[in-house]
Amino acid sequence: MSLLSLLLNVLWIVFGGLWMALAWLFAGLIMAITIIGLPWTRAAFTHANYALLPFGRMAVSRAEATGEEDLGTGALGTLGNIVWLFLAGWWLALGHIVTAVLLALTIIGIPFAWAHLKFVPISLWPIGKMIVAREEMDRLRREP
């Protein structure tokens, strides 16, 4: 992690990152407790880590990153995302939107508000995504 990413991640934690990472963890715990929600638990925990330290990393489709479809990127992943949307996705997206609106009220919070808005699509549709370092994704895109 570069020094700039480290600095931005520390500021991010202060400006809503910790709050939203805890919300993702809570969603994962609820999914784990229900037993039926276990397939969504791993995605929630992975995205909680990303919500805590997003700078220097990005969320991409596994199919885009690996070049091949898998269980989470096909029809079953779509079904899983629809279930996730109704169980937890909408309120996680709402949490990022509310945090973004509150941050946008301050001058210094505007860049972090924008970053929170980038989490809304991930909150609504997380299955089939993976978190990679930006450098690794650039490398993957260059390889034939």
Side-chain angles (χ1 to χ4, degrees), residues 13-81:
I13 289 170
V14 172
F15 289 106
L18 179 61
W19 159 254
M20 289 311 302
L22 290 173
W24 277 94
L25 280 175
F26 181 71
L29 288 173
I30 294 298
M31 293 295 169
I33 289 170
T34 64
I35 306 298
I36 295 171
L38 280 174
W40 295 275
T41 302
R42 180 171 181 256
F45 289 162
T46 299
H47 293 320
N49 181 296
Y50 180 51
L52 184 64
L53 302 169
F55 292 97
R57 302 188 297 167
M58 60 191 300
V60 295
S61 166
R62 278 197 312 268
E64 178 186 342
T66 63
E68 54 191 50
E69 295 283 326
D70 64 23
L71 192 61
T73 58
L76 203 53
T78 300
L79 179 62
N81 275 319

Side-chain angles (χ1 to χ4, degrees), residues 1 4-5 15 30 43 51 58 64 93 96 102 118-119 122:
M1 181 181 302
L4 179 61
S5 291
F15 289 106
I30 294 298
M58 60 191 300
E64 178 186 342
H96 281 291
L102 293 174
K118 290 181 179 181
F119 271 90
I122 300 165

Side-chain angles (χ1 to χ4, degrees), residues 110-126:
I110 292 173
F112 296 102
W114 186 251
H116 274 286
L117 291 178
K118 290 181 179 181
F119 271 90
V120 172
I122 300 165
S123 300
L124 297 173
W125 213 257

